[in-house]
Amino acid sequence: MNLISLDIRMLRSLISVVETGSITETARRLGRTQPAITLQLQRLEELTGKQLFEHSGRRLTLTDDGTTVLTYAKSILRLHDELISQLASQEIEGQVVLGTPDLYAAFMLPSILSVFRKSFPRVQVELNCALSTPLVGLVKRGDVDIALVTRMNDFTGGQVVRREQLVWMTGEQSAAHQERPIPLALLPPGNIYRDYAIDTLERANLRWRIACVSESVGGLQAAAFAGMAVTVLGRSALVPAMREIGPNEGLPPLPKIELLLYKSSGATSKAATALHDYLAHYLRLDEELSGRGAPIELS
Protein backbone atom coordinates (compact mmCIF):
# COMPACT_ATOMS: atom_id res chain seq x y z
CA MET A 1 0.00 0.00 0.00
CA ASN A 2 1.36 3.40 -1.00
CA LEU A 3 1.41 5.86 1.89
CA ILE A 4 0.30 9.40 1.16
CA SER A 5 0.80 12.57 3.15
CA LEU A 6 -1.95 15.18 3.26
CA ASP A 7 -1.01 18.82 3.78
CA ILE A 8 -2.82 20.48 6.69
CA ARG A 9 -3.37 23.52 4.49
CA MET A 10 -5.30 21.42 1.97
CA LEU A 11 -7.58 20.09 4.70
CA ARG A 12 -8.13 23.58 6.09
CA SER A 13 -9.07 24.85 2.63
CA LEU A 14 -11.50 21.95 2.12
CA ILE A 15 -13.29 22.69 5.41
CA SER A 16 -13.45 26.42 4.72
CA VAL A 17 -14.85 25.96 1.19
CA VAL A 18 -17.63 23.72 2.51
CA GLU A 19 -18.37 26.08 5.42
CA THR A 20 -18.45 29.27 3.36
CA GLY A 21 -19.76 27.77 0.12
CA SER A 22 -17.30 29.98 -1.72
CA ILE A 23 -13.73 29.68 -2.98
CA THR A 24 -13.53 33.49 -3.02
CA GLU A 25 -14.43 33.75 0.66
CA THR A 26 -12.05 30.91 1.56
CA ALA A 27 -9.21 32.69 -0.24
CA ARG A 28 -10.01 35.88 1.70
CA ARG A 29 -10.15 34.08 5.06
CA LEU A 30 -6.95 32.12 4.52
CA GLY A 31 -4.99 34.90 2.84
CA ARG A 32 -4.49 32.98 -0.41
CA THR A 33 -5.48 33.54 -4.03
CA GLN A 34 -8.50 31.84 -5.61
CA PRO A 35 -6.32 29.79 -8.01
CA ALA A 36 -4.22 28.62 -5.05
CA ILE A 37 -7.32 27.32 -3.23
CA THR A 38 -8.59 25.60 -6.38
CA LEU A 39 -5.19 24.00 -6.87
CA GLN A 40 -5.18 22.71 -3.28
CA LEU A 41 -8.57 21.04 -3.77
CA GLN A 42 -7.42 19.46 -7.03
CA ARG A 43 -4.21 18.25 -5.38
CA LEU A 44 -6.23 16.77 -2.50
CA GLU A 45 -8.29 14.78 -5.01
CA GLU A 46 -5.10 13.56 -6.69
CA LEU A 47 -3.52 12.45 -3.42
CA THR A 48 -6.62 10.64 -2.15
CA GLY A 49 -7.40 9.14 -5.53
CA LYS A 50 -11.05 10.04 -4.96
CA GLN A 51 -13.44 12.51 -6.54
CA LEU A 52 -14.38 14.81 -3.66
CA PHE A 53 -16.71 17.14 -5.55
CA GLU A 54 -19.28 16.79 -8.27
CA HIS A 55 -19.23 19.66 -10.76
CA SER A 56 -22.39 21.29 -12.07
CA GLY A 57 -21.61 24.46 -13.98
CA ARG A 58 -20.03 26.85 -11.48
CA ARG A 59 -21.22 24.84 -8.50
CA LEU A 60 -19.58 22.07 -6.49
CA THR A 61 -21.30 19.41 -4.41
CA LEU A 62 -19.54 17.03 -2.01
CA THR A 63 -19.55 13.37 -3.06
CA ASP A 64 -19.82 10.56 -0.52
CA ASP A 65 -16.01 10.27 -0.56
CA GLY A 66 -15.80 14.03 -0.11
CA THR A 67 -18.02 13.85 2.95
CA THR A 68 -15.80 11.11 4.42
CA VAL A 69 -12.64 13.15 3.84
CA LEU A 70 -14.34 16.22 5.32
CA THR A 71 -15.25 14.33 8.51
CA TYR A 72 -11.68 13.13 9.04
CA ALA A 73 -10.25 16.52 8.05
CA LYS A 74 -12.20 18.19 10.86
CA SER A 75 -10.86 15.70 13.41
CA ILE A 76 -7.29 16.02 12.12
CA LEU A 77 -7.40 19.81 12.22
CA ARG A 78 -8.87 19.84 15.71
CA LEU A 79 -6.04 17.68 17.04
CA HIS A 80 -3.43 19.62 15.06
CA ASP A 81 -4.61 22.98 16.37
CA GLU A 82 -4.93 21.67 19.93
CA LEU A 83 -1.31 20.49 19.76
CA ILE A 84 -0.08 23.85 18.43
CA SER A 85 -2.05 25.69 21.11
CA GLN A 86 -0.73 23.41 23.84
CA LEU A 87 2.87 23.88 22.79
CA ALA A 88 2.51 27.67 22.72
CA SER A 89 0.15 28.14 25.64
CA GLN A 90 2.52 28.01 28.57
CA GLU A 91 4.10 31.36 27.73
CA ILE A 92 0.79 33.18 27.22
CA GLU A 93 -0.82 34.84 30.22
CA GLY A 94 -3.10 37.76 31.01
CA GLN A 95 -6.74 38.73 31.46
CA VAL A 96 -9.33 38.98 28.70
CA VAL A 97 -12.88 40.35 28.94
CA LEU A 98 -15.28 38.34 26.78
CA GLY A 99 -18.76 39.75 26.15
CA THR A 100 -21.69 37.69 24.89
CA PRO A 101 -25.46 37.30 25.42
CA ASP A 102 -26.36 34.77 28.12
CA LEU A 103 -27.89 32.54 25.43
CA TYR A 104 -24.47 31.81 23.94
CA ALA A 105 -22.73 31.81 27.30
CA ALA A 106 -25.05 29.05 28.50
CA PHE A 107 -25.44 26.84 25.45
CA MET A 108 -22.57 27.44 23.03
CA LEU A 109 -19.42 28.50 24.87
CA PRO A 110 -18.99 26.22 27.92
CA SER A 111 -17.30 23.34 26.09
CA ILE A 112 -15.08 25.67 24.04
CA LEU A 113 -14.03 27.75 27.05
CA SER A 114 -13.34 24.57 29.03
CA VAL A 115 -10.89 23.37 26.38
CA PHE A 116 -9.38 26.85 26.13
CA ARG A 117 -8.71 26.93 29.88
CA LYS A 118 -6.85 23.62 29.66
CA SER A 119 -4.80 24.85 26.72
CA PHE A 120 -4.12 28.29 28.19
CA PRO A 121 -4.13 27.84 31.98
CA ARG A 122 -2.51 31.23 32.63
CA VAL A 123 -5.14 33.24 30.75
CA GLN A 124 -8.00 34.56 32.90
CA VAL A 125 -11.28 35.08 31.04
CA GLU A 126 -13.81 37.50 32.53
CA LEU A 127 -17.29 36.86 31.11
CA ASN A 128 -19.59 39.85 30.59
CA CYS A 129 -23.17 38.82 29.66
CA ALA A 130 -25.30 41.48 27.94
CA LEU A 131 -27.43 41.96 24.85
CA SER A 132 -25.71 42.17 21.47
CA THR A 133 -26.28 45.85 20.67
CA PRO A 134 -24.71 47.28 23.84
CA LEU A 135 -21.88 44.75 23.61
CA VAL A 136 -20.83 46.01 20.18
CA GLY A 137 -20.59 49.50 21.65
CA LEU A 138 -18.54 48.21 24.56
CA VAL A 139 -16.05 46.37 22.36
CA LYS A 140 -15.65 49.38 20.06
CA ARG A 141 -14.96 51.59 23.09
CA GLY A 142 -12.46 49.07 24.44
CA ASP A 143 -14.42 48.19 27.58
CA VAL A 144 -14.75 44.61 26.30
CA ASP A 145 -11.84 42.88 24.54
CA ILE A 146 -13.80 40.31 22.52
CA ALA A 147 -17.52 40.02 21.85
CA LEU A 148 -19.57 37.18 20.38
CA VAL A 149 -22.92 38.63 19.33
CA THR A 150 -25.92 38.17 17.07
CA ARG A 151 -25.69 40.18 13.87
CA MET A 152 -28.32 42.94 13.89
CA ASN A 153 -29.35 44.77 10.73
CA ASP A 154 -27.31 47.88 11.54
CA PHE A 155 -24.10 46.13 12.65
CA THR A 156 -20.87 46.75 10.75
CA GLY A 157 -17.58 44.90 11.02
CA GLY A 158 -17.05 41.69 12.93
CA GLN A 159 -16.27 38.23 11.61
CA VAL A 160 -19.03 35.73 10.82
CA VAL A 161 -18.15 32.59 12.79
CA ARG A 162 -21.40 30.67 12.87
CA ARG A 163 -24.92 30.49 11.49
CA GLU A 164 -27.67 29.36 13.81
CA GLN A 165 -31.13 28.10 12.85
CA LEU A 166 -33.94 29.87 14.69
CA VAL A 167 -36.82 27.66 15.86
CA TRP A 168 -40.12 28.04 17.68
CA MET A 169 -40.04 26.45 21.14
CA THR A 170 -42.48 25.87 23.96
CA GLY A 171 -42.86 23.61 26.99
CA GLU A 172 -42.98 19.87 26.42
CA GLN A 173 -46.68 19.67 27.40
CA SER A 174 -47.64 23.18 26.26
CA ALA A 175 -50.31 23.95 23.68
CA ALA A 176 -49.58 27.69 23.63
CA HIS A 177 -48.90 27.57 19.89
CA GLN A 178 -52.54 26.60 19.31
CA GLU A 179 -53.92 29.71 21.03
CA ARG A 180 -55.10 32.71 19.01
CA PRO A 181 -53.61 35.18 19.30
CA ILE A 182 -50.37 33.25 19.83
CA PRO A 183 -48.71 34.26 23.14
CA LEU A 184 -45.04 35.10 22.62
CA ALA A 185 -42.05 35.29 24.98
CA LEU A 186 -39.49 37.54 23.31
CA LEU A 187 -36.37 39.59 23.85
CA PRO A 188 -36.79 43.40 24.08
CA PRO A 189 -37.43 45.54 20.96
CA GLY A 190 -34.40 45.98 18.72
CA ASN A 191 -33.38 42.31 18.80
CA ILE A 192 -33.41 40.37 15.54
CA TYR A 193 -34.83 37.23 17.21
CA ARG A 194 -37.89 39.30 18.12
CA ASP A 195 -38.08 40.96 14.70
CA TYR A 196 -37.97 37.65 12.84
CA ALA A 197 -40.62 36.09 15.09
CA ILE A 198 -43.09 38.94 14.59
CA ASP A 199 -42.37 39.45 10.89
CA THR A 200 -42.76 35.73 10.17
CA LEU A 201 -46.13 35.58 11.92
CA GLU A 202 -47.31 38.76 10.23
CA ARG A 203 -46.44 37.37 6.79
CA ALA A 204 -48.37 34.19 7.62
CA ASN A 205 -51.39 36.26 8.74
CA LEU A 206 -51.25 34.74 12.23
CA ARG A 207 -52.41 36.86 15.17
CA TRP A 208 -50.01 37.20 18.11
CA ARG A 209 -49.60 38.95 21.45
CA ILE A 210 -46.69 39.60 23.79
CA ALA A 211 -46.94 37.44 26.90
CA CYS A 212 -43.38 37.90 28.22
CA VAL A 213 -40.44 40.24 27.57
CA SER A 214 -37.07 39.29 29.03
CA GLU A 215 -33.46 40.31 28.44
CA SER A 216 -32.46 36.90 29.78
CA VAL A 217 -32.94 33.56 28.07
CA GLY A 218 -33.93 32.23 31.50
CA GLY A 219 -37.04 34.43 31.49
CA LEU A 220 -38.04 33.26 28.02
CA GLN A 221 -37.57 29.63 29.02
CA ALA A 222 -39.58 30.08 32.21
CA ALA A 223 -42.57 31.37 30.20
CA ALA A 224 -42.22 28.46 27.78
CA PHE A 225 -41.82 25.85 30.54
CA ALA A 226 -44.98 27.15 32.23
CA GLY A 227 -46.99 26.83 29.02
CA MET A 228 -47.57 30.59 29.00
CA ALA A 229 -45.96 31.30 25.65
CA VAL A 230 -44.03 30.28 22.57
CA THR A 231 -40.49 31.63 22.24
CA VAL A 232 -37.88 31.85 19.48
CA LEU A 233 -34.31 30.73 20.13
CA GLY A 234 -31.43 29.12 18.28
CA ARG A 235 -31.75 25.35 17.96
CA SER A 236 -28.65 24.90 20.15
CA ALA A 237 -30.74 26.21 23.09
CA LEU A 238 -33.31 23.41 22.88
CA VAL A 239 -33.20 21.72 26.30
CA PRO A 240 -35.12 18.91 28.01
CA ALA A 241 -38.72 19.83 28.93
CA MET A 242 -38.88 22.07 25.85
CA ARG A 243 -39.80 21.04 22.34
CA GLU A 244 -39.44 22.48 18.88
CA ILE A 245 -42.62 23.40 17.02
CA GLY A 246 -42.42 22.67 13.32
CA PRO A 247 -44.43 23.83 10.30
CA ASN A 248 -46.66 20.74 10.62
CA GLU A 249 -48.03 22.30 13.82
CA GLY A 250 -49.04 25.53 12.16
CA LEU A 251 -46.09 27.88 12.68
CA PRO A 252 -44.08 29.10 9.67
CA PRO A 253 -40.34 28.31 9.35
CA LEU A 254 -37.83 30.83 10.65
CA PRO A 255 -34.55 31.95 9.05
CA LYS A 256 -30.99 31.49 10.24
CA ILE A 257 -29.09 34.23 12.04
CA GLU A 258 -25.37 35.00 11.93
CA LEU A 259 -23.03 35.20 14.90
CA LEU A 260 -20.30 37.82 14.73
CA LEU A 261 -16.99 37.85 16.59
CA TYR A 262 -15.54 41.29 17.37
CA LYS A 263 -12.11 42.15 18.74
CA SER A 264 -11.36 45.55 20.21
CA SER A 265 -8.64 47.54 18.47
CA GLY A 266 -6.98 47.93 21.86
CA ALA A 267 -6.96 44.19 22.61
CA THR A 268 -3.44 43.54 21.33
CA SER A 269 -2.20 41.11 23.99
CA LYS A 270 -1.27 37.53 23.15
CA ALA A 271 -3.97 36.37 25.56
CA ALA A 272 -6.70 38.29 23.69
CA THR A 273 -5.44 37.09 20.33
CA ALA A 274 -5.35 33.48 21.55
CA LEU A 275 -8.95 33.59 22.80
CA HIS A 276 -10.21 35.35 19.67
CA ASP A 277 -8.56 32.84 17.33
CA TYR A 278 -9.69 29.90 19.45
CA LEU A 279 -13.31 31.04 19.41
CA ALA A 280 -13.24 31.78 15.68
CA HIS A 281 -11.85 28.34 14.90
CA TYR A 282 -13.97 26.21 17.20
CA LEU A 283 -17.26 27.99 16.58
CA ARG A 284 -16.82 27.32 12.87
CA LEU A 285 -15.61 23.77 13.51
CA ASP A 286 -18.55 22.90 15.78
CA GLU A 287 -21.20 24.29 13.45
CA GLU A 288 -23.27 21.56 11.87
CA LEU A 289 -22.55 21.68 8.17
CA SER A 290 -26.19 21.84 7.18
CA GLY A 291 -24.93 22.65 3.72
CA ARG A 292 -22.91 19.42 3.50
CA GLY A 293 -23.85 18.20 0.08
CA ALA A 294 -25.36 21.56 -0.84
CA PRO A 295 -24.00 23.38 -3.91
CA ILE A 296 -20.84 25.45 -3.48
CA GLU A 297 -20.40 28.51 -5.65
CA LEU A 298 -17.15 28.65 -7.59
CA SER A 299 -16.90 32.39 -6.99
Side-chain angles (χ1 to χ4, degrees):
M1 180 175 108
N2 292 328
L3 295 178
I4 61 174
S5 178
L6 302 180
D7 192 317
I8 287 290
R9 291 169 295 182
M10 294 179 187
L11 301 182
R12 199 180 297 277
S13 294
L14 171 68
I15 292 172
S16 181
V17 165
V18 175
E19 286 180 343
T20 63
S22 169
I23 288 179
T24 300
E25 178 61 17
T26 292
R28 187 190 68 79
R29 284 187 178 189
L30 302 183
R32 307 294 299 276
T33 64
Q34 293 180 45
I37 299 299
T38 301
L39 203 59
Q40 285 184 336
L41 297 180
Q42 292 173 346
R43 181 59 177 153
L44 188 57
E45 287 189 323
E46 292 173 5
L47 288 171
T48 60
K50 302 293 183 181
Q51 182 180 349
L52 305 182
F53 293 97
E54 292 177 351
H55 298 254
S56 176
R58 291 182 57 79
R59 292 174 176 265
L60 297 175
T61 302
L62 275 178
T63 62
D64 289 342
D65 287 327
T67 299
T68 299
V69 173
L70 176 68
T71 300
Y72 279 96
K74 290 169 64 180
S75 297
I76 291 168
L77 272 212
R78 184 181 68 251
L79 292 172
H80 169 272
D81 291 346
E82 283 180 3
L83 172 60
I84 298 302
S85 294
Q86 185 63 38
L87 292 175
S89 64
Q90 297 303 320
E91 63 185 41
I92 297 178
E93 61 182 347
Q95 183 172 354
V96 186
V97 179
L98 170 63
T100 192
D102 64 342
L103 173 64
Y104 306 140
F107 298 106
M108 199 173 292
L109 293 182
S111 60
I112 299 175
L113 291 178
S114 176
V115 176
F116 179 82
R117 287 192 64 192
K118 293 175 183 176
S119 298
F120 296 87
R122 299 173 67 181
V123 175
Q124 297 178 350
V125 178
E126 177 185 323
L127 198 58
N128 183 338
C129 290
L131 295 177
S132 295
T133 297
L135 277 174
V136 171
L138 289 172
V139 78
K140 289 185 175 181
R141 290 199 303 270
D143 296 328
V144 166
D145 297 313
I146 298 166
L148 175 68
V149 301
T150 308
R151 181 202 286 275
M152 304 298 170
N153 291 328
D154 58 345
F155 282 8
T156 58
Q159 175 185 0
V160 178
V161 290
R162 188 180 177 111
R163 290 171 178 84
E164 178 86 337
Q165 179 64 56
L166 295 182
V167 296
W168 303 100
M169 297 182 193
T170 192
E172 201 167 41
Q173 306 300 322
S174 172
H177 60 290
Q178 296 175 352
E179 298 179 22
R180 293 297 181 271
I182 301 169
L184 300 177
L186 298 175
L187 292 164
N191 187 280
I192 203 164
Y193 281 52
R194 178 192 180 101
D195 294 344
Y196 278 143
I198 293 174
D199 290 346
T200 301
L201 292 177
E202 291 280 357
R203 286 197 303 269
N205 294 317
L206 292 173
R207 293 184 301 123
W208 55 272
R209 66 179 177 87
I210 300 296
C212 170
V213 176
S214 173
E215 293 188 354
S216 165
V217 65
L220 303 181
Q221 288 178 321
F225 286 144
M228 293 172 50
V230 174
T231 190
V232 170
L233 296 171
R235 183 169 280 144
S236 63
L238 190 60
V239 296
M242 289 185 72
R243 67 186 183 91
E244 178 179 339
I245 306 170
N248 60 327
E249 295 183 83
L251 293 185
L254 292 158
K256 291 184 177 182
I257 50 94
E258 292 183 333
L259 273 63
L260 297 178
L261 190 64
Y262 284 87
K263 184 169 181 280
S264 171
S265 59
T268 58
S269 68
K270 289 183 178 180
T273 299
L275 179 59
H276 174 274
D277 294 349
Y278 217 82
L279 290 172
H281 176 70
Y282 279 95
L283 285 166
R284 284 197 298 263
L285 191 65
D286 287 347
E287 180 180 3
E288 285 188 356
L289 296 176
S290 57
R292 184 184 298 177
I296 298 170
E297 291 284 358
L298 278 174
S299 59

